[in-house]
């Protein structure tokens, strides 16, 4: 058997959900450029990933209302969030536990019918921003804000987070970030969700598995550490000094390089432009300026490309999102892709069960414990 470390460049399944070909990301055949240049809404993209076609106007209106109908969380879930704010947990641990908890309060959580799976998917997609916003407010000693029926998915999240109705520019910025993070072929968390789905486990378990995988530092959290880097440079010196020191000690520069993309991450240019628009002529322009310095230095020194995490850190910060919540925003978007892959796995299922190659000793002889 040939062993390929990390299963790099190994095809594990067929999919109609997303593709990465020649450094171009596409959802169900629609390139990211096509979706972004036509201002596709995040709700349209969720629908596209789930059903593999863009919605009609009526389909979109119905889908948007379904998401709104499922967006509130119960008093029991809110009470559990309050408890978790006092446990000094990482926010990703809170999200993982709370998503699992949703299954406890869902009387149909153990049903595997197509109808139940759709309801569970709608509930998870709709409640994710409500959970993140509620947790953010609760740990500050503030009460959660209920979602509004007159606001879309992105605007509702920003409203629940801050208590203020967001500007059109803010809504567009977050909408773009959510669209760009919605799916990314067979990344680690998506693969984990498909492995879970292949066992015919319930939707809540599959998504909880994905969140647990995203929590790992080699998958999620890079944008959080990007902003830590920006702050450290701003407070302690120049970008060149900081970066050269990191490079000399062979430390990884967060937000650069990618396992799949070789020449460009097609998502980062949109976030770079949005970071500029959000910070231009404000005191937050310093974060954009430092980011540009870092990008130029790393390109010249190592030939590395910025990935989607790099400029998203500035975008999220300027939107008022705390840095330790950045990965939760990732999950709030990527759950759309996870749910699409869970659905697709179930439609043509085969248990995912690879083999391992044993390299330990053989022919061992048991020795009684009193003679060892």
């Amino acid at each position: 058997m040939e062993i390929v470390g990390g299963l790099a460049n190994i095809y594990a399944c067929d999919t109609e959900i997303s593709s990465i070909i020649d450094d171009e990301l596409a959802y169900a055949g629609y390139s990211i450029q096509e979706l972004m240049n036509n201002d596709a809404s995040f709700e349209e993209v969720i629908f596209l990933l789930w059903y593999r076609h863009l919605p009609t106007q009526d389909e979109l209106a119905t889908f948007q209302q379904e998401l709104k109908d499922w967006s509130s969380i119960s008093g029991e879930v809110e009470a559990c969030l309050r408890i978790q704010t006092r446990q000094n947990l990482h926010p990703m641990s809170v999200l993982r536990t709370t998503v699992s908890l949703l299954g406890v309060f869902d009387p149909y959580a153990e049903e595997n019918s197509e109808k139940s799976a759709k309801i569970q998917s709608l509930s998870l997609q709709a409640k994710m921003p409500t959970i993140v916003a509620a947790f953010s407010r609760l740990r500050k000693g503030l009460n959660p804000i209920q979602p509004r029926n007159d606001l879309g998915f992105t605007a509702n999240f920003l409203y629940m987070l801050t208590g203020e109705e967001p500007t059109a520019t803010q809504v567009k910025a977050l909408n773009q970030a959510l669209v760009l993070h919605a799916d990314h072929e067979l990344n680690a968390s998506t693969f984990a969700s498909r492995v879970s789905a292949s066992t015919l486990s319930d939707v809540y378990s599959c998504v909880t598995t994905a969140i647990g995988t995203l929590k790992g530092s080699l998958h999620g959290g890079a944008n959080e550490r990007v902003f830590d880097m920006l702050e450290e440079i701003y407070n302690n010196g120049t970008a060149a000094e900081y970066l050269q020191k990191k490079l000399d000690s062979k430390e990884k520069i967060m937000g650069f390089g990618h396992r799949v993309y070789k020449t460009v991450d097609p998502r980062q240019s949109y976030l770079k432009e949005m970071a500029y628009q959000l910070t231009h002529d404000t005191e937050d322009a310093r974060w954009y300026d430092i980011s540009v310095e870092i990008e130029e230095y790393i390109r010249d020194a190592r030939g590395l490309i910025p990935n989607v995490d790099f400029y998203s850190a500035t975008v999220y910060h300027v939107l008022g999102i705390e840095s330790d919540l950045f990965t939760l925003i990732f999950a709030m978007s990527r759950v759309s892709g996870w749910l699409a892959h869970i659905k697709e796995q179930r439609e043509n299922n085969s248990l995912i069960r690879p083999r391992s190659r044993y390299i330990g000793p053989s022919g061992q002889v048991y020795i009684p414990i009193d003679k060892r």
Side-chain angles (χ1 to χ4, degrees), residues 144-156:
I145 296 174
Q146 289 298 309
R148 279 171 39 179
N149 198 54
D150 61 322
L151 295 177
F153 189 97
T154 303
N156 236 330

Side-chain angles (χ1 to χ4, degrees), residues 289-310:
D289 293 340
I290 293 173
S291 298
V292 172
E293 289 181 40
I294 295 171
E295 178 184 357
E296 293 175 349
Y297 192 91
I298 296 300
R299 182 188 61 224
D300 295 340
R302 288 291 186 271
L304 295 175
I305 58 172
N307 57 41
V308 71
D309 296 308
F310 188 65

